[in-house]
Amino acid sequence: MPHSPLILAASATLILAATAALTAQPQESGEITLEDVAAAARVIGLEFEPDELELMLADVREHTRDIDSVRQPLPNSELPVLVFNPLLPGMTPRARLKPAPAPAESHDLDGSRVLRPEDLNELAFAPISTWASLIRSRQVSCTEVTQFFLDRLVRLDEHLHCVISYTEERALNQAALLDDELAAGIWRGPLHGIPWGAKDLLSARGAPTTWGARPFADQVLDEDAAVVRRLEEAGAVLIAKLSVGALAWGDVWFGATTLNPWDLSQGSSGSSAGSASATAAGGVVFALGTETLGSIVSPSVRCRTSSLRPTFGRVPRTGCMALTWSMDKIGPICRSAADVQLVFAAIQGPDGEDPTVHDLPYDPNLTSDVRGWKVGYPKGSFEPESPVLAQLQGLGVELVELEIPRSRATGGMLLTLGAEAAAAFDELTRSGRDAQLVRQVKDAWPNVFRAARLIPAVEYVNAQRLRGKLIRDFDGALQGVEAIVHPSFSSGILSTTNLTGHPTFVAPGPSGDDGSGSVSFTGHLFDEERLLVLARAWQEASDYDDAHPSLEFLHD
């Protein structure tokens, strides 16, 4: 199978794509003229001789009729037949990490070392392992934990606007079932009874799935997304659908702007706006987000959460709104790498429906001594006295300064996003319902969808060929190191790795370096085990993830 994503018009010529822009509606008054073809060519930077235009005219008219034939309503869930695979010919996943024995207390989930406080608010920011200990030892019931977080999230949402809808009935019914199972001696694992929130791109049976966009505000999909189903099977309790910037862009949805719990004068960034905001504020124990070009990393930087954007092809997207088939990824938004390890274990792996997903083993309990590991960092990306680099050296890590490959064609490769997104929402544009979206500015979907009609099919295909080169170049830069550490927005790594599919873990860091207060670790393709082991070791040697917003507004 080819390693390029959806080809919008695989048999089209360069002129076909441009002509499509001129014929957004079927021709009703006359056929395409030579002047039309010449003008379309100039839009995409080409000039043809008069005799060449004469020869092209009949074909362009035929292509226009072909375009009309493929303009038919398609549900967002309809997959393209061609898929993106970041593992190019000759590339294989790395050998698995040999684990070191884990300290016993990290797996102590029987409650012997954790006691319930009088006020559960003291545990609003507690890790999954603490809640798991209390639930498994039956010091607190699943129903009580679920109701606690539902009530807390309602109070938080009055200020943060991070919830689109609650799933209270579903949550309480599931919590009661989980309590019955515990009474019968059945424990599903560390996520048993843990409340969580889903970015509202993920379908959940019985609840609206609005995609944050007014044209879909009343949409109810009668299915659970694959990741929702898997988390339910693992015992996690879905309590809310969390806000998403309209159609996965920004922090503005049809209800409001989602705010940063650290600073209510700021939006939470996006598009996993509600997932990051609610998790950072202790409204859920964890959440799921999605990323196409920064939608996990950016709100996690703003809201200071610890989150994973997995390798493309690691987590099934079945039941999730499609934006860009060759770039969309689903990942956990948590408060520590240790929590990410547990959540990622529950959602990763093939589901038999998403053809991009690889079947690879993953150990959520993996720990390892990182002494002697080589970790790269981009040249000039950190301040000379960076505490992050010092902390890694304190762990026995050998730091290696690297040149990170950058392509002058990155912007061209990102035509992929606009072209595929315009295809995913073709009917929205042609129907005129895009006018219902809240944001109607240059850098917003309505304009991007319209402009994408002018992206030539030939250039789209060539962008995918350049992506292959970028994958090999970036993979080559990682050879000899276990991972790279970098300020989250440095060296063009965010754009590059969203094109190549490499995984990134993002977490709160010091306020120095690039000023973002955030640190990211980027690893090899499908090597989340090493990536999270390294990130967890660093977090346990620092205390950046221990801080939480004051939430003074809750006490006003």
Side-chain angles (χ1 to χ4, degrees):
M1 181 174 287
H3 290 275
S4 61
L6 172 70
I7 298 175
L8 297 178
S11 62
T13 65
L14 191 68
I15 295 301
L16 166 60
T19 305
L22 298 175
T23 58
Q25 299 297 328
Q27 291 289 309
E28 296 179 356
S29 57
E31 292 209 86
I32 298 293
T33 67
L34 285 173
E35 290 75 18
D36 293 332
V37 178
R42 285 195 296 273
V43 167
I44 57 177
L46 292 175
E47 294 283 347
F48 295 103
E49 297 297 326
D51 59 334
E52 294 171 329
L53 291 170
E54 287 278 4
L55 284 173
M56 293 165 59
L57 183 58
D59 282 350
V60 171
R61 287 172 173 169
E62 183 177 347
H63 291 155
T64 302
R65 291 188 287 272
D66 290 340
I67 289 168
D68 289 342
S69 74
V70 299
R71 281 199 176 123
Q72 50 186 282
L74 289 171
N76 180 265
S77 57
E78 189 71 40
L79 295 173
V81 296
L82 302 179
V83 298
F84 172 68
N85 181 2
L87 286 177
L88 302 178
M91 296 171 59
T92 58
R94 303 180 78 203
R96 297 188 67 202
L97 181 64
K98 294 181 180 179
E105 58 269 19
S106 69
H107 300 287
D108 174 45
L109 299 173
D110 62 5
S112 61
R113 290 179 176 82
V114 179
L115 297 177
R116 173 187 172 137
E118 289 187 13
D119 183 358
L120 288 183
N121 281 295
E122 295 179 25
L123 299 177
F125 300 103
I128 290 173
S129 59
T130 295
W131 283 110
S133 293
L134 293 171
I135 290 170
R136 191 179 188 189
S137 62
R138 300 178 69 187
Q139 296 182 64
V140 61
S141 70
C142 299
T143 300
E144 185 180 12
V145 175
T146 297
Q147 192 64 63
F148 167 75
F149 276 102
L150 277 166
D151 293 343
R152 182 178 172 87
L153 189 56
V154 167
R155 290 188 292 126
L156 287 167
D157 186 58
E158 292 177 5
H159 304 271
L160 300 178
H161 313 301
C162 58
V163 178
I164 290 183
S165 64
Y166 294 92
T167 55
E168 182 173 9
E169 182 178 1
R170 171 181 179 148
L172 291 173
N173 287 341
Q174 185 190 358
L177 172 64
L178 293 167
D179 282 330
D180 290 343
E181 289 182 358
L182 282 174
I186 300 169
W187 184 64
R188 299 193 190 190
L191 299 184
H192 189 116
I194 303 297
W196 72 285
K199 182 176 180 177
D200 199 36
L201 300 188
L202 301 170
S203 58
R205 185 173 283 110
T209 301
T210 72
W211 302 340
R214 186 169 285 130
F216 304 99
D218 298 321
Q219 176 175 255
V220 177
L221 303 176
D222 189 28
E223 65 173 345
D224 284 338
V227 290
V228 171
R229 185 172 63 250
R230 286 179 170 180
L231 284 170
E232 182 171 78
E233 291 168 354
V237 179
L238 176 64
I239 65 170
K241 304 292 292 298
L242 301 175
S243 62
V244 48
L247 302 183
W249 191 347
D251 48 21
V252 180
W253 55 291
F254 62 84
T257 298
T258 300
L259 302 181
N260 174 12
W262 294 86
D263 182 354
L264 296 188
S265 69
Q266 292 181 327
S268 65
S269 188
S271 66
S272 301
S275 296
S277 180
T279 301
V284 290
V285 180
F286 71 89
L288 291 187
T290 69
E291 175 154 324
T292 304
L293 188 65
S295 290
I296 288 175
V297 171
S298 184
S300 295
V301 169
R302 178 67 58 85
C303 298
R304 299 181 65 78
T305 58
S306 296
S307 310
L308 175 69
R309 185 197 71 218
T311 305
F312 179 91
R314 193 78 203 236
V315 176
R317 301 164 298 175
T318 309
C320 179
M321 184 199 87
L323 181 67
T324 302
W325 289 280
S326 71
M327 294 176 68
D328 295 343
K329 299 156 288 280
I330 301 174
I333 293 180
C334 301
R335 291 191 286 268
S336 70
D339 282 3
V340 167
Q341 284 179 308
L342 297 173
V343 177
F344 180 62
I347 63 174
Q348 63 86 39
D351 69 336
E353 295 186 60
D354 183 340
T356 68
V357 183
H358 291 247
D359 188 5
L360 296 167
Y362 173 77
D363 183 353
N365 300 312
L366 197 63
T367 61
S368 179
D369 187 344
V370 299
R371 283 179 296 180
W373 283 25
K374 290 185 177 181
V375 174
Y377 67 98
K379 186 176 181 179
S381 60
F382 285 99
E383 296 175 352
E385 303 300 321
S386 168
V388 173
L389 298 185
Q391 288 152 359
L392 288 168
Q393 287 177 317
L395 293 170
V397 165
E398 179 183 345
L399 295 172
V400 180
E401 193 174 56
L402 297 177
E403 290 283 354
I404 301 299
R406 302 182 74 166
S407 172
R408 66 179 181 86
T410 297
M413 286 181 255
L414 288 174
L415 290 173
T416 301
L417 197 164
E420 294 186 24
F425 289 98
D426 171 54
E427 191 275 334
L428 185 71
T429 300
R430 291 190 293 108
S431 69
R433 291 189 302 136
D434 56 348
Q436 298 176 32
L437 295 175
V438 173
R439 295 177 67 236
Q440 296 286 335
V441 295
K442 176 182 177 296
D443 290 328
W445 283 131
N447 182 57
V448 170
F449 292 161
R450 295 166 198 149
R453 316 290 300 206
L454 290 168
I455 297 172
V458 171
E459 269 64 32
Y460 175 86
V461 174
N462 282 336
Q464 311 320 314
R465 297 169 71 191
L466 286 169
R467 280 178 82 181
K469 183 178 185 303
L470 186 63
I471 290 169
R472 293 190 187 279
D473 289 346
F474 195 81
D475 187 71
L478 290 180
Q479 296 306 308
V481 299
E482 304 297 336
I484 58 175
V485 60
H486 54 95
S488 296
F489 298 129
S490 73
S491 305
I493 292 174
L494 181 69
S495 295
T496 295
T497 54
N498 271 294
L499 285 164
T500 65
H502 286 77
T504 290
F505 173 83
V506 56
S511 59
D513 296 318
D514 71 342
S516 70
S518 172
V519 176
S520 286
F521 294 82
T522 293
H524 291 258
L525 293 169
F526 299 101
D527 196 16
E528 282 83 0
E529 283 184 335
R530 279 183 183 81
L531 183 64
L532 292 175
V533 163
L534 176 63
R536 180 173 177 176
W538 170 73
Q539 281 195 324
E540 291 175 351
S542 62
D543 60 1
Y544 306 118
D545 59 309
D546 294 336
H548 307 295
S550 63
L551 305 177
E552 294 177 359
F553 53 82
L554 286 183
H555 311 296
D556 291 344

